[in-house]
Structure formats: C-alpha cells, structure tokens
C-alpha cells in the first residue's frame, strides 16, 4: 500500500492473487443468475456458514438491509443492540427504507444484549403494538472493541426466538475474525441463526462485496429485495472472483492480524500517556485513549502521525483512537506506529 493505514480493515487493497483472478474471471449476467463465478462464490459461502444458499451483495450495509427487509415488513419490529452497526452506521435504513421499527436495547462490555431484556422486549399480541418479528445480533461486535462473542450466547438467543416464533439475523461482517479468535469453525456460531451476512472487503481483503446466507426460501426472497434496493448486478463475477480468493486463502491467516493487534496493544501499555483495556483486545481492533496530561487531542496526534510517518489512525472521540490491523499491516509497521506515537506524546 502507499501508506501505513490503521484506520480500518476496509482500506485493504486486493492481493496479487485477487487481481489475477479478477482479470481472468468467467462472467455472465447475474440478474439472470448466469454469472458462473458469482454462483461458485455463493455456493462456497453457503457451505462455509452451513446454510442452504447465499446471495452476493455490494456491501455489508446492503446485506443487513436486504436481510432485515426479507425477514420483516413495514410496521414490524426488530430487537437490536443500541450500539450495533445497523443502529449507528447504516443511516437508519431499515426504518427509512423498509418501515421496520428498531427496538434498541443496552449491551454489555462485549456487545451482548441481556437475555432477560431480549425476552422482555418481545411484544404481546396486542393490536396497539408493533409485532416483534426479528432479533438482530452482531459478531464480532464492532462497537465493543471488536470482541468475539461465543456460540453459547447465540444458542441462548435462538432458544428465546424459538419460544416466541421469531427469527434471528446475525451481522457477521467480521464473523471469521470472531471464529478464528475462538479457534472455532464459523458454523459453530452460524448454526444458531436463521441468516447471516459477512463482508469480503474487510479482513478478508477483497475490494468489494458481502454475502447473505440462509435457507433457500429466504435467499429467494432476499434476491427480490436486493433488486428493489438497486443491488442487481450484471457481470459482477469480476468482483466475486476476488471473493473466492478471500474465502479460500484469507480466513486462516486472520490469526496474524490478531497477533499484530495484540503486539500493538502490548506496546501501547508501555507508553506513558496512553490508556487501554488490554483484556478486550481479542481480534484485530485496538481502542485506546490519551491520558489527561497529554497536551494534544486525538486529531492533533493523528495529524502529526500522518505528516511525520505516513501513518493513518482513526479517531473515535476527542482523545480516543481505534487502530485496526489487516493483511497490509506487518510487525514492522506496528513497531513504527509505537515509535512515532511515543515520540509525539512525550514531545
């Protein structure tokens, strides 16, 4: 890459193998279901998540929107974490475009809604109330340090959903990070949900795309909703080819991103002027903040890192940062990050 970029794993460039696959991909019109590379990617995604079928979409936001609007309709309600991605970072699209009402609940330090609160939030069959239709979950939980949530939680949510005839959707944008961090097959998590989305364009390093996975009937409905929101793509096998490389070559190596995040967190704990919760660093995200005695704010520090060393880091508040490791971040980049940051905050 042309910079050392810790802002997000969305900044990743495609690997050389992806570029080669894209250049030689077989294509067709996917709205007619005639693109062979997309069909291959969808079949692989379904197999990896243990679902019957899958659908290629342009983004994780589109994946969540299409999934929720397939499960629920106008005036129906989805139970969702108040700081989940769909609540904070997707422009309110489920309500704005679909008329689906979010019933947002608090989450704990790992991003879990209380089981008791979830069950209590389910509406009675009352003509005055919106009908509860769906429980929406996330793993890993981006709003809480990218923490990987264990399958036990999803099993417990699934049991609640079954008791009340509800459906469960999982925003698994970084589901493979969550699985690798816990040394699990991803199906041990996805087994407990009716549908799941995951991103190809984050830690898996593809340039574009996400997958929705679920039952064959659900995917048939999702294909119609995808078309309605403008997501019907034509010769998109060029993009799907990179996704195949992502699923075949990039999942197992996520452990290196996690190790680099841990190395970064360890180094940050040794810097005066920095605070972080080391125990929460489990995947590829490191959240940290400046102590009160540092005479700069986060934007000033981030700006100096860009100017002095071409290092980019995200700010999440006046004195707070998020650093994300990925395929293009190496151990030497982590060490340089620590050296440059250390020199700035003590200067």
């Amino acid at each position: 890459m042309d910079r050392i970029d810790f802002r997000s794993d969305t900044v990743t460039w495609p690997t050389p193998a992806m570029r080669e696959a894209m250049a030689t991909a077989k294509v067709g019109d996917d709205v007619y279901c005639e693109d062979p590379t997309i069909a291959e990617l969808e079949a692989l995604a379904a197999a990896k998540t243990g679902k019957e079928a899958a659908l290629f979409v342009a983004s994780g936001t589109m994946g969540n929107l299409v999934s929720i609007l397939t499960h629920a309709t106008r005036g129906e309600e989805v139970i969702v974490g108040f700081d989940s991605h769909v609540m904070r970072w997707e422009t309110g699209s489920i309500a704005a475009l679909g008329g689906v009402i979010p019933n947002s609940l608090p989450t704990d330090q790992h991003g879990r809604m209380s089981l008791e609160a979830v069950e209590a939030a389910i509406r009675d069959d009352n003509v005055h109330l919106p009908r509860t239709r769906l429980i929406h979950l996330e793993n890993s939980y981006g709003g809480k340090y990218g923490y990987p949530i264990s399958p036990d939680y999803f099993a417990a949510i699934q049991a609640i959903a079954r008791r009340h005839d509800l459906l469960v959707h999982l925003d698994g944008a970084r589901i493979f990070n969550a699985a690798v961090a816990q040394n699990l097959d991803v199906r041990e998590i996805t087994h407990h949900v009716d549908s799941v989305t995951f991103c190809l364009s984050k830690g898996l390093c593809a340039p574009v795309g996400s997958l929705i996975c679920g039952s064959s009937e659900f995917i048939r409905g999702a294909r119609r909703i995808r078309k309605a929101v403008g997501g019907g793509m034509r010769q998109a096998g060029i993009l799907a080819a990179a996704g195949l490389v992502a699923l075949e070559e990039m999942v197992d190596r996520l452990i290196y991103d996690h190790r680099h995040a841990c190395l970064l967190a360890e180094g940050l704990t040794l810097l005066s002027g920095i605070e972080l919760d080391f125990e929460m660093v489990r995947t590829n995200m490191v959240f940290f903040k400046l102590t009160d005695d540092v005479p700069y704010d986060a934007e000033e520090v981030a700006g100096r890192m860009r100017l002095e060393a071409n290092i980019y880091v995200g700010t999440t508040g006046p004195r707070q940062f998020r650093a994300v490791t990925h395929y293009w971040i190496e151990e030497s980049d982590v060490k340089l990050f620590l050296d440059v940051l250390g020199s700035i905050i003590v200067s």
Side-chain angles (χ1 to χ4, degrees):
M1 297 184 74
D2 60 353
R3 63 186 65 173
I4 302 171
D5 202 335
F6 285 84
R7 289 174 300 169
S8 177
D9 45 11
T10 62
V11 303
T12 51
W13 290 2
T15 67
M18 290 176 185
R19 293 179 184 272
E20 175 64 22
M22 294 169 73
T24 59
K26 295 179 180 180
V27 298
D29 190 318
D30 185 50
V31 175
Y32 291 134
C33 298
E34 293 177 355
D35 190 299
T37 308
I38 290 179
E40 184 180 357
L41 173 63
E42 290 172 343
L44 180 59
K48 282 191 173 291
T49 57
K51 301 302 181 185
E52 291 179 344
L55 183 67
F56 184 52
V57 295
S59 68
T61 294
M62 179 179 283
N64 286 330
L65 175 64
V66 168
S67 297
I68 292 171
L69 299 194
T70 304
H71 285 310
T73 191
R74 301 191 72 86
E76 293 184 327
E77 187 174 71
V78 55
I79 296 171
V80 58
F82 83 105
D83 54 358
S84 64
H85 195 275
V86 76
M87 282 297 293
R88 288 197 169 178
W89 302 107
E90 298 184 10
T91 70
S93 58
I94 63 171
L97 301 181
V100 176
I101 304 164
N103 184 353
S104 60
L105 303 182
T107 60
D108 68 8
Q109 73 273 22
H110 297 157
R112 299 171 299 192
M113 295 178 288
S114 152
L115 299 178
E116 295 77 14
V118 169
E119 191 144 26
I122 298 169
R123 304 289 188 177
D124 295 331
D125 186 9
N126 185 318
V127 69
H128 300 92
L129 306 176
R131 180 182 289 110
T132 305
R133 179 61 175 162
L134 180 67
I135 303 172
H136 176 91
L137 306 172
E138 186 176 327
N139 200 19
S140 62
Y141 205 86
K144 295 290 173 62
Y145 307 93
Y147 200 87
I149 301 173
S150 74
D152 291 347
Y153 176 73
F154 297 95
I157 290 289
Q158 183 185 49
I160 293 171
R162 295 297 178 261
R163 285 198 296 273
H164 296 274
D165 195 27
L166 303 182
L167 297 164
V168 182
H169 174 68
L170 173 59
D171 175 359
R174 297 181 177 89
I175 189 67
F176 290 101
N177 289 91
V180 167
Q182 299 175 84
N183 195 29
L184 299 173
D185 186 305
V186 72
R187 289 171 291 189
E188 295 181 57
I189 300 170
T190 57
H191 172 72
H192 301 295
V193 300
D194 296 290
S195 61
V196 58
T197 60
F198 67 83
C199 287
L200 299 167
S201 58
K202 293 185 170 72
L204 299 186
C205 216
V208 177
S210 290
L211 274 300
I212 306 171
C213 305
S215 70
S216 297
E217 180 182 3
F218 166 76
I219 292 299
R220 281 194 295 272
R223 188 176 295 275
R224 177 176 289 272
I225 298 296
R226 184 187 71 171
K227 179 66 175 175
V229 298
M233 294 180 283
R234 302 299 178 175
Q235 290 74 32
I238 292 173
L239 303 175
L244 284 168
V245 176
L247 286 180
E248 291 167 348
E249 299 184 5
M250 305 301 286
V251 173
D252 290 342
R253 64 149 307 279
L254 290 173
I255 190 65
Y256 296 106
D257 298 340
H258 299 175
R259 289 173 182 171
H260 290 153
C262 186
L263 182 66
L264 176 60
E266 288 174 344
L268 288 170
T269 64
L270 301 177
L271 294 181
S272 60
I274 297 295
E275 292 181 354
L276 80 158
D277 187 346
F278 183 79
E279 293 302 315
M280 296 300 291
V281 181
R282 294 284 307 281
T283 58
N284 64 328
M285 294 185 183
V286 182
F287 289 76
F288 62 98
K289 64 182 180 179
L290 302 171
T291 57
D292 292 340
D293 58 313
V294 175
Y296 313 109
D297 64 21
E299 288 294 342
E300 289 174 304
V301 171
R304 287 188 59 181
M305 293 183 75
R306 288 194 299 273
L307 288 173
E308 295 179 18
N310 202 28
I311 295 173
Y312 286 64
V313 62
T315 59
T316 60
R319 303 184 68 78
Q320 298 170 328
F321 304 86
R322 184 187 76 163
V324 184
T325 54
H326 49 76
Y327 177 84
W328 295 99
I329 296 294
E330 300 179 355
E331 184 173 336
S332 58
D333 299 319
V334 172
K335 292 179 178 177
L336 181 61
F337 184 105
L338 292 168
D339 288 343
V340 173
L341 176 61
S343 68
I344 291 171
I345 61 179
V346 299
S347 62

